[in-house]
Structures are given as C-alpha cells and as structure tokens.
Amino acid sequence: MSDIETIRAAAEALPRDTTITILTSHDRPPEGVSRVGGPGVALGDRQPCSDDGQPMTHIWTLATADVPALARAYPGAAAVALYILEPDENEAWEVGNGLTALVALSADELAGPAAEPTEQDLSPKHVTAEHVEVASAAFASSDDEAYEDEPDDSPRRRLRSAIYRANARAGGEPLWLQGEEYGGEFLLQFDEGFANVNLGDCGIMFVFSDEQFWQCH
C-alpha cells in the first residue's frame, strides 16, 4: 500500500475536515513546473545568497496550482522555490539560520531562462501532488492531554503516524521530530526521500513562510 493509500485508509475512521497535499518526487525528467533539483529559474538580483554573498542552491520549485497551502500563502504567485546554502553540508538546524530562502515566482519568471547550472544542483526529479482529506485532530500539539492519553493504536494516532511517514506533505500543521520549535505560518515539511539534502540523522525540513529549518534524531 502506498503512503497516500495508507493515509486515506487511516483517515476514514475520523471526521475529515482539512485537506493536505502529499508530494512525491520521481526519478524521471520533470514535466511542468513542480520539480526537485535542477538549477531553477534565472533570478538575477533576486538570487538568494548568504550574508557573505554565497549563492544558495535551488532545492525545489512547486507550482501554487499544485499546492493549495502555497497558493494561500503567496496569492498571485505562480510557484514557490526553496533555496539552501550548500545542501550537502548545510547547518540549517535552527530558527533564524540565514542559510535558506523561499522565493515566490511569477509566471513570467517561470517562462524565462533557467539559471546557470552549478556543481551543487540536485538531480532533476518530477513531482506529483495528491490531495487527501484528513482529520485536523491528527495534528494534535504536545500539550493536548487527551491525545497523550490515547493508546498507540487509536484512530488519531494511526492517522498521525501515516501522515508523518510521507516524504513530503503540505497543509495541516507541523508534525515535529524533536518538539515544537516555531509557531509561524506552516507550509510544508519534507525529508531526504523527497529532496536529497543533508538533514542530519533521518531529519525533516520544516518550511514556514518566513523560516525554514530542520530537526533530526
């Protein structure tokens, strides 16, 4: 059973009141806007750089038409792209790291030329997006005493576990690896199974509209 099938099966046991988007990368050339890797589009002066002027590497671009959470956060944008400084050796493990950037892209920018390739570019991958109706109760926070008292096989815990196992998921609320760390506008989270970025020991990158950082074991 695929991750999406597992989530849909687990979601049937609870009232479904929110939509999440499961993102999957595939080892084939990208078709359309949404993709992992490659050099990204040419941004000119908008190219994200570190404080000392080092250019960041394009990690993924996601069409807002594919990901409702991004469309809500960036009205009018055609896509959103994530950049990380030195993805193989990045140190973006805390809030305010200054080593990541989200860039909203217009339709004109997407229709323009690609950026010059670099040695740090990830291999290009096709990305698909599938929407799933789930119970918002699965995103219980750490101070939800009722959730903490539930058995491991409760419907809510089963759904939460199924959602957590997805390599990339947008919408809903963050499912933390090491505990709640930030309360901004959550967009999505992903692991190395979605984009081949160094995230420590089985880490997860949490993407908020104004902060992007990872936690690991």
Side-chain angles (χ1 to χ4, degrees):
M1 186 179 293
S2 69
D3 287 342
I4 295 171
E5 290 171 335
T6 301
I7 293 169
R8 286 198 171 109
E12 291 178 356
L14 295 165
R16 285 160 281 181
D17 57 359
T18 194
T19 302
I20 61 174
T21 303
I22 305 302
L23 300 160
T24 307
S25 59
H26 306 268
D27 289 322
R28 65 175 189 265
E31 303 167 11
V33 173
S34 293
R35 64 193 59 208
V36 167
V41 300
L43 293 173
D45 293 342
R46 297 184 68 214
Q47 168 66 39
C49 295
S50 65
D51 291 341
D52 61 1
Q54 297 183 66
M56 296 185 187
T57 299
H58 171 257
I59 304 302
W60 47 249
T61 295
L62 298 174
T64 53
D66 293 339
V67 188
L70 294 178
R72 289 191 295 270
Y74 297 92
V80 178
L82 174 69
Y83 288 77
I84 298 178
L85 184 68
E86 299 182 358
D88 286 341
E89 300 180 0
N90 79 90
E91 299 179 353
W93 55 67
E94 59 185 357
V95 176
N97 56 74
L99 305 174
T100 66
L102 272 185
V103 180
L105 302 173
S106 68
D108 287 344
E109 286 173 319
L110 291 176
E116 289 295 322
T118 74
E119 293 182 354
Q120 297 201 54
D121 291 340
L122 307 185
S123 298
K125 293 186 176 184
H126 177 65
V127 170
T128 55
E130 295 191 56
H131 310 305
V132 186
E133 294 289 331
V134 300
S136 58
F139 303 104
S141 65
S142 60
D143 59 1
D144 185 328
E145 295 182 2
Y147 177 80
E148 293 302 315
D149 290 340
E150 290 179 9
D152 290 342
D153 62 349
S154 71
R156 182 158 58 154
R157 282 185 177 271
R158 287 201 304 272
L159 176 58
R160 182 186 182 93
S161 178
I163 295 171
Y164 183 83
R165 287 196 297 270
N167 292 129
R169 181 260 309 174
E173 300 294 336
L175 293 179
W176 299 103
L177 178 58
Q178 291 286 3
E180 297 180 24
E181 191 171 345
Y182 191 66
E185 182 182 18
F186 174 73
L187 301 176
L188 62 94
Q189 62 188 74
F190 69 91
D191 62 24
E192 294 179 26
F194 179 70
N196 189 23
V197 177
N198 177 17
L199 302 177
D201 182 9
C202 299
I204 295 173
M205 173 72 79
F206 297 91
V207 179
F208 294 80
S209 59
D210 57 348
E211 294 285 351
Q212 305 85 44
F213 58 92
W214 50 267
Q215 297 178 337
C216 69
H217 289 281

